[in-house]
Amino acid sequence: IFPESLIQQRKISLESIETNQRRLVTGFDLYKTMINLMKDLDGSLSTRKLSVPSWAYDLFTEEVPSDRSCADAGIILEHCPCLEEKKKDFV
């Protein structure tokens, strides 16, 4: 799915990508991943200040912790998918 040249250039970890498929990720993680990808491909982005939360992960190069909570991910309680899963377990 990823060109070998991109894997080499970006130091993409296929293990991280596979692991993160089963982890709690957010749009902020995707945003950080895309910003980092564009920085590498287009040097002009590296000079601009883009606001990325400190708790966001680059999904290509970092593994999201398995115990990441909605609070850790910046997800408000009303939108926490973990609560939906717990409700299903009790039904």
Side-chain angles (χ1 to χ4, degrees):
I1 184 170
F2 290 100
E4 189 63 35
S5 59
L6 183 61
I7 292 171
Q8 296 298 325
Q9 178 187 10
R10 275 276 291 131
K11 297 180 176 63
I12 290 175
S13 167
L14 297 177
E15 293 82 20
S16 291
I17 292 170
E18 186 172 328
T19 298
N20 290 336
Q21 290 180 57
R22 296 176 300 282
R23 301 287 167 87
L24 178 62
V25 299
T26 70
F28 288 110
D29 300 317
L30 184 58
Y31 177 71
K32 181 176 182 177
T33 304
M34 294 297 107
I35 291 298
N36 287 342
L37 180 61
M38 290 187 299
K39 279 182 183 178
D40 289 344
L41 298 177
D42 180 5
S44 65
L45 276 178
S46 62
T47 60
R48 293 184 11 203
K49 288 285 183 194
L50 299 170
S51 179
V52 178
S54 60
W55 39 262
Y57 289 87
D58 182 328
L59 301 174
F60 286 167
T61 61
E62 302 173 281
E63 285 191 12
V64 176
S66 61
D67 61 348
R68 187 183 199 190
S69 69
C70 287
D72 295 336
I75 300 171
I76 60 173
L77 193 58
E78 294 84 39
H79 298 287
C80 181
C82 304
L83 295 178
E84 273 305 308
E85 289 300 318
K86 288 178 184 174
K87 285 181 194 175
K88 289 177 186 175
D89 290 342
F90 290 112
V91 174

